Amino acid sequence: MSAPGLVTLHVWRIPRTAVPRALARMATHPPRLRRTPGVRFGKLLGTGTGTGFGPGDADLTRWAALTVWDSPAAAAGFDTSPVGRSWARIARSSARLELRPLTSRGEWSGHRPFGEPSGGHRPGSPVDPGRGTGPVLALTRARLRARRAVTFWRAVPPVATALHSAPGLLARFGVGEAPLGWQGTVSVWRDAADLVAFAYRHPEHRAVIARTPTEGWYAEELFARFAVCDVVGDLAVLGWAAEGDPESARGRA
């Protein structure tokens, strides 16, 4: 797949009374999202608090859509699309991140949604140091092997704890296509240097990376990094750190 025109991450916060309606949308909206004009690849996602990234981490009041677009013009039509309008009706607040892919390794549902891979990435490692300044978003996504899931969930808590206090972290939460076994993480960083410092130098994270090839946790995995071009909406939906200035993300791409 060639480089996309734009990638967006829409995140909605809903009241608890709307959870049944959100679950119904998760069951019926994926094909509608994929049929939206200009969409190359789209996933509706549940989210987690980001404290454990395990099955008990689900946050049923926050949902997301990650979408790869042909062009910024196509992306601009999401809010008036059937899927966008439907989620807006039940949301009490929302946020949108506009992203430009920098590096990507692996597959998602058999696709390379963020374009062909580029150099500079070590096998088994979730990010490429890359270049540039300004906020970056790291996305990890994996389909766990059922027989290895419990071992994976036991290995994750030290990393989640370390991530919470990592220097330069602006926001983080878990994402998943299903309650069990189809999961990932979203983290937003002040700049690439902070992301690289955590990914390559933090002992808990390095330990999990080292175990990945031998443990065989994943049936499919993807790691990607994006420049954050714009952040719009209620930053509380993202759990954005108070000291992180969203204005710094504008006009970077």
Side-chain angles (χ1 to χ4, degrees):
M1 184 181 291
S2 60
L6 187 69
V7 177
T8 59
L9 179 64
H10 288 78
V11 186
W12 301 278
R13 178 69 73 182
I14 67 169
R16 291 196 175 275
T17 55
V19 168
R21 285 174 284 170
L23 294 174
R25 284 161 170 76
M26 291 295 292
T28 60
H29 280 187
R32 297 177 69 184
L33 177 63
R34 294 192 293 269
R35 290 194 300 265
T36 300
V39 170
R40 295 189 185 187
F41 180 88
K43 290 290 184 178
L44 287 172
L45 303 167
T47 76
T49 64
T51 57
F53 302 131
D57 191 47
D59 182 352
L60 295 179
T61 67
R62 183 172 58 189
W63 303 85
L66 181 74
T67 312
V68 180
W69 301 92
D70 283 332
S71 67
F78 178 79
D79 288 341
T80 57
S81 70
V83 174
R85 292 199 309 268
S86 182
W87 282 93
R89 283 196 295 270
I90 64 172
R92 69 184 189 193
S93 56
S94 64
R96 182 185 78 246
L97 293 93
E98 296 183 357
L99 309 169
R100 175 171 56 87
L102 297 174
T103 60
S104 179
R105 286 293 183 279
E107 295 186 348
W108 195 336
S109 299
H111 299 280
R112 296 184 182 273
F114 309 118
E116 290 300 318
S118 56
H121 181 83
R122 296 202 307 267
S125 178
V127 296
D128 167 32
R131 298 177 181 176
T133 60
V136 294
L137 182 146
L139 170 70
T140 73
R141 178 268 168 187
R143 177 163 53 88
L144 297 178
R145 300 183 192 276
R147 61 186 176 84
R148 306 303 298 162
V150 173
T151 304
F152 173 80
W153 289 326
R154 288 173 178 168
V156 165
V159 179
T161 300
L163 177 63
H164 178 72
S165 58
L169 181 70
L170 299 178
R172 59 91 174 88
F173 50 91
V175 292
E177 298 166 72
L180 295 174
W182 302 65
Q183 58 195 65
T185 64
V186 168
S187 57
V188 184
W189 301 81
R190 183 173 49 200
D191 55 38
D194 289 321
L195 170 57
V196 169
F198 178 79
Y200 291 120
R201 300 168 194 156
H202 203 285
E204 285 83 359
H205 193 260
R206 287 177 63 88
V208 170
I209 291 175
R211 291 180 62 185
T212 298
T214 57
E215 293 287 354
W217 283 317
Y218 311 132
E220 185 183 56
E221 58 183 314
L222 180 142
F223 306 109
R225 185 170 62 86
F226 305 83
V228 179
C229 306
D230 203 358
V231 183
V232 179
D234 183 358
L235 298 183
V237 176
L238 307 172
W240 197 279
E243 64 271 20
D245 179 9
E247 291 300 320
S248 66
R250 302 180 190 277
R252 290 288 184 178

